[in-house]
Amino acid sequence: MESFFHSVKLNKELCVGCTNCVKRCPTGAIRVRDGKAFITKELCIDCGECISICPHHAKSAVVDSRDSARRFRYTIALPAPSLYAQFNNLRDQLPVLRGLYGLGFDEVYEVAKGAEMVSSLTDQYLREGKLTLPAISCACPVVVRLIRTRFPNLINHILPILPPVEVAARLAKRDFCAKMGCTPEEVGTVFLSPCPAKSTACRDPLGFDKSAVDLVVSIKDVYPTLLAAMKRPDLPEYGELCGKMGLGWGISGGEAASLTHENYLAADGIENIIRVLEDLEDEHITGVDFVELNACPGGCVGGILTVENPFMARAKMQRMQKNLAVTGYQPRGVEERLLLFDHPIQFCEVLSLDQDLATAMELLNRIDEVESRLFGMDCGACGAPSCRAMATDIVMGRASEDMCIYKLREGLAQQTDKEEVLV
Ligand code: SF4
Ligand code: SF4
């Protein structure tokens, strides 16, 4: 039985049924009925588009509060590379990492280091011919969920290597327990995240059974206190810094650029990545070994839980990268299996009309027929994103034709004509 945890939630009280989110949702997961939006959980991929478009703040991200870390004896901060790009005038990430100690974290482990390990293993697998080409990065959870529900032919192309945050959480916990002589249960790993989809990926992982990330806190939440903590004069020193390749993962194209392979493609923004996936499925894109896709515009720096303008954040990140070395972080004693998926991701059939092919065909014909009676305006006033989606809802018994305002108007006009003839 599939579970569908979501980190995007709707507050019905605040929803006024304006349908702005209906038209923006890339998977057609939202409808407005009886003046309120609702989300079909099987279709939602937690992209967060509806959070940014809703003018009434009726949609929000489900993340953890910093206070929830109190239940652990020790805590480890896992800063996403995009966190560094939120601050002005940084030469490197050191002030941020030291500031995190100032916030009370017992340890800080850069997710960028996990990223460099993933890059190195990806390179190795590409060299050894172990991947189905083109391999598609699994770092963006929205992309993985999109492929899982909509692109069955691409499911085997998903890179079977854990995303950087998972690698970082596993290693950080393992090393900290060895250093302190404590149990993993006493240690809480806290990911400082740029987007809600990472929260979904940690609570409901795909490709592995249990996440080593215990809490996901938004960058927005931590930013003001971290900014203040960074100014403290008594902060502890930080050890080895991750280099420019790991940091680059925070911006679109950074993961692909960290590979020695040059045959890659990188795209960002939800509409662009859907187009790339469609073209890959239709084999219109060929001759590419690696595909990096980020749902947020500009990459993780464009996540909705960040504070800085994504273009500024990108510029800051690139400036910082110029001051950093190429490290290719590779700690000793890390077995390859620690970086790999536990099992392959399975395709999840959420769009089929019926399990039985003949019935599905019959339904498809009826949808065509109903759609031909609608007006093709795709106005969204009925609460569905398009006339096609509305026709599907009608045939599947979830809506009726009189919910179309043009049909309603047509019916009223016919009624008036009849009355005039009678008079
Ligand atoms: S954008 Fe969606 S959630 Fe927000 S008020 Fe309009 S219909 Fe409701
Ligand atoms: S998070 Fe994305 S996929 Fe989910 S309902 Fe909102 S816009 Fe649609």
Side-chain angles (χ1 to χ4, degrees):
M1 176 86 177
E2 287 286 346
S3 71
F4 291 95
F5 170 86
H6 288 297
S7 54
V8 173
K9 74 168 185 222
L10 168 74
N11 182 342
K12 282 214 164 172
E13 298 292 308
L14 295 177
C15 175
V16 299
C18 67
T19 73
N20 279 337
C21 60
V22 173
K23 294 185 84 65
R24 182 71 167 261
C25 175
T27 61
I30 311 176
R31 297 288 186 276
V32 168
R33 297 283 179 256
D34 298 326
K36 299 284 177 189
F38 74 89
I39 301 173
T40 303
K41 65 179 188 318
E42 289 82 357
L43 295 176
C44 176
I45 53 171
D46 289 301
C47 66
E49 291 283 315
C50 55
I51 299 181
S52 23
I53 194 73
C54 178
H56 303 279
H57 308 290
K59 298 250 176 61
S60 57
V62 182
V63 282
D64 298 295
S65 70
R66 275 198 55 217
D67 283 350
S68 44
R70 291 208 180 127
R71 69 174 199 265
F72 296 99
R73 183 170 174 201
Y74 303 105
T75 50
I76 304 175
L78 304 169
S82 49
L83 175 67
Y84 312 129
Q86 308 304 306
F87 301 93
N88 293 329
N89 306 320
L90 292 188
R91 278 190 59 79
D92 58 36
Q93 64 271 44
L94 200 53
V96 176
L97 299 172
R98 294 179 70 200
L100 289 169
Y101 286 122
L103 285 189
F105 287 103
D106 300 288
E107 188 59 280
V108 181
Y109 196 104
E110 292 187 79
V111 171
K113 289 181 177 173
E116 294 205 338
M117 285 182 258
V118 173
S119 293
S120 163
L121 191 59
T122 306
D123 249 339
Q124 182 191 324
Y125 276 23
L126 282 169
R127 266 195 318 273
E128 293 172 353
K130 282 186 176 170
L131 300 172
T132 307
L133 301 183
I136 304 174
S137 164
C138 65
C140 176
V142 173
V143 172
V144 174
R145 276 164 168 74
L146 190 58
I147 294 174
R148 176 177 80 136
T149 52
R150 198 166 142 186
F151 296 94
N153 298 335
L154 297 179
I155 202 118
N156 295 334
H157 292 254
I158 297 175
L159 188 71
I161 301 174
L162 294 175
V165 63
E166 205 50 47
V167 172
R170 287 183 182 196
L171 294 179
K173 217 176 232 203
R174 185 196 72 166
D175 294 352
F176 189 80
C177 289
K179 185 170 90 178
M180 302 298 287
C182 58
T183 64
E185 292 70 34
E186 291 178 289
V187 185
T189 45
V190 184
F191 178 44
L192 307 174
S193 174
C195 79
K198 307 268 194 214
S199 173
T200 308
C202 295
R203 291 180 196 214
D204 185 16
L206 296 177
F208 50 103
D209 300 326
K210 189 174 179 328
S211 173
V213 179
D214 296 300
L215 299 171
V216 178
V217 172
S218 89
I219 285 179
K220 249 183 195 161
D221 284 354
V222 88
Y223 177 81
T225 42
L226 178 55
L227 190 60
M230 283 162 61
K231 294 178 183 143
R232 276 176 43 182
D234 57 338
L235 296 169
E237 287 304 321
Y238 186 80
E240 190 186 352
L241 283 183
C242 182
K244 61 168 76 175
M245 292 307 189
L247 254 64
W249 277 59
I251 53 180
S252 173
E255 177 186 1
S258 72
L259 301 173
T260 54
H261 269 68
E262 285 179 359
N263 251 355
Y264 65 76
L265 174 159
D268 58 281
I270 191 77
E271 276 152 24
N272 294 331
I273 65 168
I274 290 174
R275 187 162 167 212
V276 168
L277 289 171
E278 284 171 351
D279 283 350
L280 282 170
E281 192 160 62
D282 295 343
E283 296 180 12
H284 291 153
I285 293 176
T286 52
V288 171
D289 291 341
F290 186 79
V291 177
E292 176 199 322
L293 301 173
N294 286 286
C296 293
C300 292
V301 288
I304 58 164
L305 301 181
T306 58
V307 291
E308 181 55 287
N309 171 294
F311 300 103
M312 269 311 290
R314 183 181 182 90
K316 288 180 189 177
M317 181 67 88
Q318 287 173 327
R319 226 175 290 145
M320 212 185 311
Q321 280 182 295
K322 285 190 184 142
N323 299 319
L324 296 173
V326 177
T327 50
Y329 185 73
Q330 204 56 261
R332 286 170 188 277
V334 178
E335 293 169 47
E336 189 174 306
R337 63 170 180 82
L338 206 73
L339 272 62
L340 298 177
F341 277 11
D342 297 331
H343 46 75
I345 296 172
Q346 302 293 328
F347 182 66
C348 178
E349 183 67 83
V350 294
L351 292 173
S352 91
L353 295 168
D354 199 279
Q355 295 297 322
D356 177 62
L357 191 61
T359 312
M361 290 306 294
E362 162 63 19
L363 289 169
L364 208 55
N365 289 338
R366 282 170 52 201
I367 291 168
D368 288 343
E369 187 218 323
V370 172
E371 188 187 5
S372 71
R373 292 204 296 274
L374 299 176
F375 290 77
M377 306 291 277
D378 291 340
C379 65
C382 61
S386 63
C387 294
R388 180 77 185 170
M390 184 58 171
T392 307
D393 287 353
I394 292 167
V395 170
M396 301 307 278
R398 299 188 291 255
S400 56
E401 274 186 55
D402 58 11
M403 290 162 73
C404 167
I405 56 161
Y406 292 96
K407 288 299 265 185
L408 201 63
R409 200 182 288 167
E410 187 185 56
L412 284 174
Q414 282 168 358
Q415 184 70 24
T416 312
D417 286 351
K418 258 192 225 159
E419 283 167 6
E420 279 173 1
V421 170
L422 284 175
V423 168

